């Protein structure tokens, strides 16, 4: 609540995006992000696990669009990115290899950045701590990890051997989808600075992006904690005044 609103006793206008989110918007988005990590692990064959991951990613796209549907302009931008993304994600022969991987991963990164910016705007414009804000913070953190997973796959496809990853006997399509799930695992391990060491970056480019992700994760947590503490102190002061 701003100083002007408090002086005149006027209730602040809620942000006209995401704070007016559709019911169950953030919980469903968070469920999809968790499913990206859990679902592929229940399939032994790389192709089956990759297909499961593609299905969860598709549902994630729809749930993210559901979140931004409050404003028509934001929804149309999201659809403009999501439609070609779904085509490249499911129609593997739409472009020749490796351009199909470049297009799919590039569009995934663009879409995640777009949704992440909207969620970030919501986090730093809302003026009170509630369940939506907490869930939005978690979703944005997990979106960081997902974006970096696609970045790592782009690095590996562009420069084979950039990472030490366990090899499997698979076709090109199976290998691409297998790497996607493996790099999702590596990304979240790096984001949380666990560093198990079973997947390791070997080239300077791969190591640089890994370091940037680890730093981003820690800085983001510090910023969110500072934001929550600031809102809590502000709420206490306004409540006592």
């Amino acid at each position: 609540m701003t100083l002007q609103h408090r002086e005149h006793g006027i209730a602040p206008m809620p942000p006209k995006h995401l704070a007016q989110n559709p019911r169950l918007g953030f919980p469903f988005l968070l469920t999809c992000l968790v499913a990206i990590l859990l679902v592929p692990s229940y399939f032994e064959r790389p192709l089956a696990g990759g297909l499961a991951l593609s299905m969860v990613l598709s549902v994630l796209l729809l749930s993210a669009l559901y979140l931004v549907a409050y404003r028509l302009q934001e929804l149309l931008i999201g659809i403009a990115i999501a439609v070609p993304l779904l085509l490249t994600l499911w129609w593997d022969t739409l472009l020749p290899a490796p351009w199909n991987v470049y297009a799919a991963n590039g569009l995934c990164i663009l879409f995640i950045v777009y949704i992440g910016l909207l969620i970030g705007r919501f986090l730093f414009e809302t003026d009170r701590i509630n369940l939506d804000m907490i869930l939005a913070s978690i979703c944005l953190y997990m979106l960081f990890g997902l974006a970096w997973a696609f970045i790592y796959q782009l690095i590996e496809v562009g420069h084979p051997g950039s990472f030490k990853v366990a090899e499997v006997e698979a076709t090109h399509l199976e290998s691409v989808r297998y790497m996607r799930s493996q790099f999702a695992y590596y990304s979240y391990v790096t984001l949380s600075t666990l560093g198990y060491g079973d997947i390791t970056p070997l080239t300077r480019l791969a190591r640089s992006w890994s370091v940037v992700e680890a730093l981003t994760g820690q800085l983001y947590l510090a910023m969110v904690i500072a934001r929550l503490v600031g809102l809590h102190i502000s709420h206490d002061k306004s409540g006592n005044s």
Side-chain angles (χ1 to χ4, degrees):
M1 184 181 295
T2 63
L3 180 61
Q4 183 180 5
H5 285 139
R6 288 199 294 267
E7 289 178 349
H8 297 282
I10 302 174
M13 293 294 292
K16 293 185 177 180
H17 54 83
L18 296 186
Q20 301 290 109
N21 66 332
R23 190 171 298 175
L24 300 180
F26 283 116
F28 190 66
L29 180 62
L30 179 58
T31 300
C32 291
L33 287 166
V34 173
I36 285 175
L37 296 178
L38 296 180
V39 170
S41 63
Y42 289 94
F43 297 87
E44 294 184 1
R45 288 189 57 81
L47 181 58
L51 285 173
L53 180 60
S54 296
M55 290 181 64
V56 177
L57 280 173
S58 300
V59 176
L60 173 67
L61 293 178
L62 297 177
S63 64
L65 288 176
Y66 182 64
L67 263 179
V68 302
Y70 183 77
R71 273 187 172 178
L72 179 60
Q73 182 180 6
E74 293 173 351
L75 175 62
L76 291 177
I77 294 174
I79 291 175
I81 304 173
V83 171
L85 170 54
L86 287 172
L87 285 174
T88 55
L89 193 64
W90 285 101
W91 192 357
D92 298 288
T93 58
L94 181 64
L95 295 171
W99 294 104
N100 56 340
V101 179
Y102 293 153
N105 285 29
L107 288 169
C108 280
I109 294 169
L110 179 61
F111 186 83
I112 291 170
V113 169
Y114 174 66
I115 297 299
L117 287 174
L118 294 180
I119 294 177
R121 188 179 68 182
F122 164 65
L123 287 175
F124 286 93
E125 286 187 359
T126 188
D127 61 350
R128 62 178 59 190
I129 302 174
N130 52 32
L131 181 60
D132 276 342
M133 182 180 185
I134 294 172
L135 292 179
S137 302
I138 299 172
C139 286
L140 185 55
Y141 182 75
M142 295 193 70
L143 283 171
F144 282 147
L146 186 59
W148 251 274
F150 292 116
I151 291 174
Y152 293 140
Q153 189 179 16
L154 284 176
I155 294 173
E156 178 64 25
V157 172
H159 303 277
S162 294
F163 294 87
K164 186 186 78 174
V165 185
E167 295 183 359
V168 295
E169 293 184 3
T171 64
H172 170 73
L173 177 58
E174 288 178 324
S175 177
V176 167
R177 288 175 173 169
Y178 171 75
M179 281 196 301
R180 190 169 287 159
S181 62
Q182 290 296 297
F183 283 129
Y185 159 75
Y186 171 74
S187 178
Y188 285 108
V189 168
T190 303
L191 185 66
S192 56
T193 65
L194 288 175
Y196 289 127
D198 50 345
I199 300 177
T200 54
L202 301 179
T203 63
R204 185 175 299 176
L205 180 62
R207 290 171 180 168
S208 298
W209 277 99
S210 298
V211 170
V212 171
E213 182 183 20
L215 290 175
T216 300
Q218 298 309 301
L219 289 174
Y220 173 77
L221 291 177
M223 291 174 62
V224 168
I225 292 173
R227 175 66 173 162
L228 292 175
V229 171
L231 287 176
H232 180 70
I233 294 174
S234 176
H235 180 71
D236 284 348
K237 287 183 178 179
S238 62
N240 294 329
S241 60

Tab-separated table of all heavy atoms in Angstrom, residues 57-66 68 74-90 103-104 106-112 114-115:
chain	number	residue	atom	x	y	z
A	57	LEU	N	5.625	-30.742	-20.631
A	57	LEU	CA	5.987	-29.409	-21.108
A	57	LEU	C	4.817	-28.734	-21.815
A	57	LEU	O	4.598	-27.529	-21.665
A	57	LEU	CB	7.182	-29.504	-22.054
A	57	LEU	CG	8.566	-29.636	-21.419
A	57	LEU	CD1	9.622	-29.896	-22.481
A	57	LEU	CD2	8.917	-28.375	-20.634
A	58	SER	N	4.065	-29.508	-22.593
A	58	SER	CA	2.908	-28.955	-23.297
A	58	SER	C	1.846	-28.475	-22.305
A	58	SER	O	1.269	-27.395	-22.465
A	58	SER	CB	2.312	-30.010	-24.232
A	58	SER	OG	3.261	-30.430	-25.185
A	59	VAL	N	1.606	-29.272	-21.269
A	59	VAL	CA	0.644	-28.867	-20.238
A	59	VAL	C	1.154	-27.637	-19.496
A	59	VAL	O	0.387	-26.742	-19.137
A	59	VAL	CB	0.387	-30.026	-19.259
A	59	VAL	CG1	-0.541	-29.583	-18.132
A	59	VAL	CG2	-0.219	-31.211	-19.983
A	60	LEU	N	2.467	-27.583	-19.288
A	60	LEU	CA	3.072	-26.417	-18.643
A	60	LEU	C	2.829	-25.154	-19.454
A	60	LEU	O	2.512	-24.092	-18.900
A	60	LEU	CB	4.566	-26.651	-18.466
A	60	LEU	CG	5.400	-25.470	-17.954
A	60	LEU	CD1	5.019	-25.131	-16.520
A	60	LEU	CD2	6.891	-25.773	-18.039
A	61	LEU	N	2.958	-25.259	-20.784
A	61	LEU	CA	2.703	-24.105	-21.645
A	61	LEU	C	1.270	-23.612	-21.476
A	61	LEU	O	1.020	-22.405	-21.343
A	61	LEU	CB	2.940	-24.473	-23.110
A	61	LEU	CG	4.371	-24.784	-23.542
A	61	LEU	CD1	4.388	-25.174	-25.009
A	61	LEU	CD2	5.270	-23.589	-23.307
A	62	LEU	N	0.337	-24.544	-21.475
A	62	LEU	CA	-1.070	-24.174	-21.365
A	62	LEU	C	-1.376	-23.555	-20.001
A	62	LEU	O	-2.138	-22.588	-19.900
A	62	LEU	CB	-1.948	-25.402	-21.601
A	62	LEU	CG	-1.836	-26.029	-23.005
A	62	LEU	CD1	-2.695	-27.289	-23.092
A	62	LEU	CD2	-2.258	-25.033	-24.074
A	63	SER	N	-0.778	-24.112	-18.945
A	63	SER	CA	-1.028	-23.567	-17.613
A	63	SER	C	-0.415	-22.172	-17.469
A	63	SER	O	-0.986	-21.300	-16.805
A	63	SER	CB	-0.456	-24.497	-16.541
A	63	SER	OG	0.945	-24.587	-16.629
A	64	ALA	N	0.739	-21.955	-18.101
A	64	ALA	CA	1.358	-20.631	-18.062
A	64	ALA	C	0.508	-19.620	-18.824
A	64	ALA	O	0.325	-18.478	-18.380
A	64	ALA	CB	2.766	-20.691	-18.644
A	65	LEU	N	-0.035	-20.023	-19.969
A	65	LEU	CA	-0.927	-19.139	-20.715
A	65	LEU	C	-2.196	-18.842	-19.915
A	65	LEU	O	-2.745	-17.745	-19.959
A	65	LEU	CB	-1.299	-19.775	-22.057
A	65	LEU	CG	-0.192	-19.814	-23.116
A	65	LEU	CD1	-0.665	-20.563	-24.352
A	65	LEU	CD2	0.237	-18.399	-23.491
A	66	TYR	N	-2.664	-19.839	-19.184
A	66	TYR	CA	-3.836	-19.667	-18.318
A	66	TYR	C	-3.583	-18.586	-17.274
A	66	TYR	O	-4.472	-17.810	-16.926
A	66	TYR	CB	-4.131	-21.005	-17.649
A	66	TYR	CG	-5.346	-21.029	-16.754
A	66	TYR	CD1	-6.617	-20.817	-17.267
A	66	TYR	CD2	-5.207	-21.316	-15.403
A	66	TYR	CE1	-7.733	-20.868	-16.452
A	66	TYR	CE2	-6.320	-21.376	-14.578
A	66	TYR	CZ	-7.579	-21.148	-15.089
A	66	TYR	OH	-8.676	-21.200	-14.279
A	68	VAL	N	-1.586	-15.910	-17.646
A	68	VAL	CA	-1.491	-14.567	-18.227
A	68	VAL	C	-2.732	-14.198	-19.021
A	68	VAL	O	-2.741	-13.192	-19.722
A	68	VAL	CB	-0.244	-14.431	-19.124
A	68	VAL	CG1	1.011	-14.728	-18.341
A	68	VAL	CG2	-0.343	-15.348	-20.335
A	74	GLU	N	-1.172	-9.687	-23.364
A	74	GLU	CA	-0.193	-10.628	-22.832
A	74	GLU	C	-0.510	-12.050	-23.267
A	74	GLU	O	0.390	-12.839	-23.549
A	74	GLU	CB	-0.140	-10.523	-21.313
A	74	GLU	CG	0.426	-9.187	-20.830
A	74	GLU	CD	0.326	-9.020	-19.330
A	74	GLU	OE1	-0.338	-9.876	-18.684
A	74	GLU	OE2	0.896	-8.059	-18.793
A	75	LEU	N	-1.791	-12.363	-23.338
A	75	LEU	CA	-2.198	-13.694	-23.787
A	75	LEU	C	-1.828	-13.916	-25.251
A	75	LEU	O	-1.312	-14.982	-25.614
A	75	LEU	CB	-3.703	-13.873	-23.598
A	75	LEU	CG	-4.311	-15.180	-24.125
A	75	LEU	CD1	-3.713	-16.376	-23.401
A	75	LEU	CD2	-5.826	-15.171	-23.981
A	76	LEU	N	-2.058	-12.920	-26.102
A	76	LEU	CA	-1.754	-13.059	-27.527
A	76	LEU	C	-0.254	-13.220	-27.767
A	76	LEU	O	0.163	-14.003	-28.627
A	76	LEU	CB	-2.280	-11.832	-28.288
A	76	LEU	CG	-3.813	-11.703	-28.365
A	76	LEU	CD1	-4.208	-10.415	-29.071
A	76	LEU	CD2	-4.419	-12.905	-29.065
A	77	ILE	N	0.554	-12.496	-26.987
A	77	ILE	CA	2.006	-12.659	-27.122
A	77	ILE	C	2.407	-14.072	-26.724
A	77	ILE	O	3.228	-14.721	-27.391
A	77	ILE	CB	2.742	-11.625	-26.255
A	77	ILE	CG1	2.475	-10.206	-26.775
A	77	ILE	CG2	4.253	-11.906	-26.243
A	77	ILE	CD1	3.046	-9.108	-25.901
A	78	GLY	N	1.827	-14.567	-25.640
A	78	GLY	CA	2.125	-15.927	-25.205
A	78	GLY	C	1.723	-16.961	-26.233
A	78	GLY	O	2.470	-17.920	-26.492
A	79	ILE	N	0.567	-16.789	-26.854
A	79	ILE	CA	0.108	-17.725	-27.880
A	79	ILE	C	1.026	-17.675	-29.099
A	79	ILE	O	1.337	-18.714	-29.704
A	79	ILE	CB	-1.348	-17.393	-28.287
A	79	ILE	CG1	-2.306	-17.720	-27.132
A	79	ILE	CG2	-1.754	-18.171	-29.534
A	79	ILE	CD1	-3.732	-17.311	-27.393
A	80	ALA	N	1.474	-16.472	-29.454
A	80	ALA	CA	2.364	-16.325	-30.614
A	80	ALA	C	3.675	-17.084	-30.421
A	80	ALA	O	4.287	-17.547	-31.388
A	80	ALA	CB	2.651	-14.843	-30.861
A	81	ILE	N	4.112	-17.221	-29.176
A	81	ILE	CA	5.326	-17.991	-28.905
A	81	ILE	C	5.001	-19.471	-28.755
A	81	ILE	O	5.742	-20.346	-29.215
A	81	ILE	CB	6.029	-17.478	-27.634
A	81	ILE	CG1	6.344	-15.995	-27.752
A	81	ILE	CG2	7.312	-18.272	-27.368
A	81	ILE	CD1	6.890	-15.367	-26.482
A	82	ALA	N	3.866	-19.777	-28.104
A	82	ALA	CA	3.531	-21.162	-27.762
A	82	ALA	C	3.181	-22.007	-28.985
A	82	ALA	O	3.525	-23.194	-29.031
A	82	ALA	CB	2.376	-21.186	-26.766
A	83	VAL	N	2.507	-21.436	-29.975
A	83	VAL	CA	2.075	-22.228	-31.137
A	83	VAL	C	3.263	-22.793	-31.915
A	83	VAL	O	3.344	-24.012	-32.135
A	83	VAL	CB	1.150	-21.399	-32.047
A	83	VAL	CG1	0.897	-22.136	-33.356
A	83	VAL	CG2	-0.182	-21.129	-31.347
A	84	PRO	N	4.223	-21.971	-32.349
A	84	PRO	CA	5.391	-22.565	-33.029
A	84	PRO	C	6.210	-23.458	-32.101
A	84	PRO	O	6.836	-24.424	-32.554
A	84	PRO	CB	6.201	-21.348	-33.493
A	84	PRO	CG	5.741	-20.226	-32.652
A	84	PRO	CD	4.315	-20.496	-32.329
A	85	LEU	N	6.188	-23.160	-30.812
A	85	LEU	CA	6.915	-24.003	-29.865
A	85	LEU	C	6.326	-25.409	-29.815
A	85	LEU	O	7.062	-26.409	-29.859
A	85	LEU	CB	6.881	-23.352	-28.476
A	85	LEU	CG	7.395	-24.190	-27.303
A	85	LEU	CD1	8.795	-24.708	-27.573
A	85	LEU	CD2	7.365	-23.367	-26.032
A	86	LEU	N	5.013	-25.506	-29.744
A	86	LEU	CA	4.371	-26.819	-29.729
A	86	LEU	C	4.618	-27.576	-31.022
A	86	LEU	O	4.798	-28.796	-31.019
A	86	LEU	CB	2.868	-26.656	-29.480
A	86	LEU	CG	2.467	-26.260	-28.058
A	86	LEU	CD1	0.973	-25.934	-27.999
A	86	LEU	CD2	2.796	-27.373	-27.073
A	87	LEU	N	4.627	-26.857	-32.150
A	87	LEU	CA	4.892	-27.506	-33.435
A	87	LEU	C	6.289	-28.114	-33.474
A	87	LEU	O	6.471	-29.266	-33.870
A	87	LEU	CB	4.727	-26.493	-34.572
A	87	LEU	CG	3.297	-26.107	-34.950
A	87	LEU	CD1	3.312	-24.992	-35.980
A	87	LEU	CD2	2.543	-27.318	-35.489
A	88	THR	N	7.284	-27.349	-33.043
A	88	THR	CA	8.656	-27.858	-33.076
A	88	THR	C	8.892	-28.910	-31.996
A	88	THR	O	9.745	-29.789	-32.156
A	88	THR	CB	9.665	-26.710	-32.891
A	88	THR	OG1	9.364	-25.987	-31.684
A	88	THR	CG2	9.615	-25.750	-34.058
A	89	LEU	N	8.122	-28.837	-30.913
A	89	LEU	CA	8.295	-29.793	-29.829
A	89	LEU	C	7.785	-31.175	-30.199
A	89	LEU	O	8.364	-32.196	-29.813
A	89	LEU	CB	7.570	-29.278	-28.574
A	89	LEU	CG	7.872	-29.970	-27.252
A	89	LEU	CD1	9.330	-29.784	-26.862
A	89	LEU	CD2	6.960	-29.426	-26.157
A	90	TRP	N	6.687	-31.216	-30.977
A	90	TRP	CA	6.065	-32.494	-31.303
A	90	TRP	C	6.343	-32.956	-32.736
A	90	TRP	O	6.336	-34.150	-33.016
A	90	TRP	CB	4.553	-32.392	-31.090
A	90	TRP	CG	4.191	-32.411	-29.641
A	90	TRP	CD1	3.865	-31.337	-28.860
A	90	TRP	CD2	4.138	-33.547	-28.780
A	90	TRP	NE1	3.614	-31.740	-27.581
A	90	TRP	CE2	3.761	-33.098	-27.502
A	90	TRP	CE3	4.365	-34.909	-28.976
A	90	TRP	CZ2	3.611	-33.960	-26.418
A	90	TRP	CZ3	4.214	-35.773	-27.900
A	90	TRP	CH2	3.848	-35.301	-26.644
A	103	ALA	N	15.504	-24.803	-32.697
A	103	ALA	CA	14.233	-24.072	-32.729
A	103	ALA	C	13.390	-24.374	-31.491
A	103	ALA	O	12.878	-23.450	-30.836
A	103	ALA	CB	13.456	-24.436	-33.999
A	104	ALA	N	13.240	-25.659	-31.159
A	104	ALA	CA	12.413	-26.039	-30.013
A	104	ALA	C	12.968	-25.469	-28.712
A	104	ALA	O	12.232	-24.880	-27.908
A	104	ALA	CB	12.297	-27.562	-29.935
A	106	GLY	N	15.187	-22.981	-28.337
A	106	GLY	CA	15.188	-21.532	-28.358
A	106	GLY	C	13.824	-20.952	-28.035
A	106	GLY	O	13.709	-19.989	-27.263
A	107	LEU	N	12.767	-21.541	-28.603
A	107	LEU	CA	11.414	-21.074	-28.317
A	107	LEU	C	11.024	-21.364	-26.878
A	107	LEU	O	10.318	-20.569	-26.241
A	107	LEU	CB	10.423	-21.731	-29.278
A	107	LEU	CG	10.472	-21.224	-30.725
A	107	LEU	CD1	9.656	-22.126	-31.647
A	107	LEU	CD2	9.953	-19.785	-30.806
A	108	CYS	N	11.461	-22.501	-26.349
A	108	CYS	CA	11.190	-22.820	-24.940
A	108	CYS	C	11.824	-21.780	-24.027
A	108	CYS	O	11.192	-21.298	-23.079
A	108	CYS	CB	11.726	-24.204	-24.593
A	108	CYS	SG	10.678	-25.577	-25.117
A	109	ILE	N	13.076	-21.419	-24.309
A	109	ILE	CA	13.761	-20.413	-23.498
A	109	ILE	C	13.038	-19.073	-23.598
A	109	ILE	O	12.828	-18.382	-22.585
A	109	ILE	CB	15.225	-20.281	-23.944
A	109	ILE	CG1	15.988	-21.574	-23.658
A	109	ILE	CG2	15.901	-19.098	-23.246
A	109	ILE	CD1	17.351	-21.643	-24.299
A	110	LEU	N	12.642	-18.688	-24.816
A	110	LEU	CA	11.932	-17.419	-25.015
A	110	LEU	C	10.616	-17.400	-24.242
A	110	LEU	O	10.283	-16.404	-23.586
A	110	LEU	CB	11.677	-17.204	-26.511
A	110	LEU	CG	10.922	-15.929	-26.897
A	110	LEU	CD1	11.701	-14.697	-26.475
A	110	LEU	CD2	10.647	-15.908	-28.401
A	111	PHE	N	9.885	-18.515	-24.291
A	111	PHE	CA	8.603	-18.575	-23.594
A	111	PHE	C	8.797	-18.511	-22.081
A	111	PHE	O	8.057	-17.815	-21.379
A	111	PHE	CB	7.868	-19.861	-23.970
A	111	PHE	CG	6.473	-19.947	-23.429
A	111	PHE	CD1	5.420	-19.334	-24.095
A	111	PHE	CD2	6.211	-20.623	-22.250
A	111	PHE	CE1	4.125	-19.404	-23.594
A	111	PHE	CE2	4.925	-20.697	-21.747
A	111	PHE	CZ	3.881	-20.085	-22.418
A	112	ILE	N	9.796	-19.220	-21.584
A	112	ILE	CA	10.053	-19.217	-20.145
A	112	ILE	C	10.465	-17.821	-19.679
A	112	ILE	O	10.029	-17.352	-18.616
A	112	ILE	CB	11.142	-20.252	-19.800
A	112	ILE	CG1	10.592	-21.663	-20.007
A	112	ILE	CG2	11.606	-20.093	-18.350
A	112	ILE	CD1	11.647	-22.749	-19.924
A	114	TYR	N	9.598	-15.016	-21.056
A	114	TYR	CA	8.392	-14.174	-21.114
A	114	TYR	C	7.508	-14.396	-19.891
A	114	TYR	O	7.115	-13.429	-19.220
A	114	TYR	CB	7.616	-14.491	-22.395
A	114	TYR	CG	6.284	-13.784	-22.486
A	114	TYR	CD1	6.218	-12.401	-22.606
A	114	TYR	CD2	5.095	-14.503	-22.448
A	114	TYR	CE1	4.996	-11.742	-22.684
A	114	TYR	CE2	3.871	-13.854	-22.525
A	114	TYR	CZ	3.821	-12.483	-22.643
A	114	TYR	OH	2.618	-11.836	-22.705
A	115	ILE	N	7.216	-15.646	-19.577
A	115	ILE	CA	6.389	-15.946	-18.407
A	115	ILE	C	7.103	-15.526	-17.127
A	115	ILE	O	6.492	-14.998	-16.191
A	115	ILE	CB	6.043	-17.445	-18.360
A	115	ILE	CG1	5.206	-17.833	-19.586
A	115	ILE	CG2	5.284	-17.792	-17.082
A	115	ILE	CD1	3.881	-17.112	-19.690
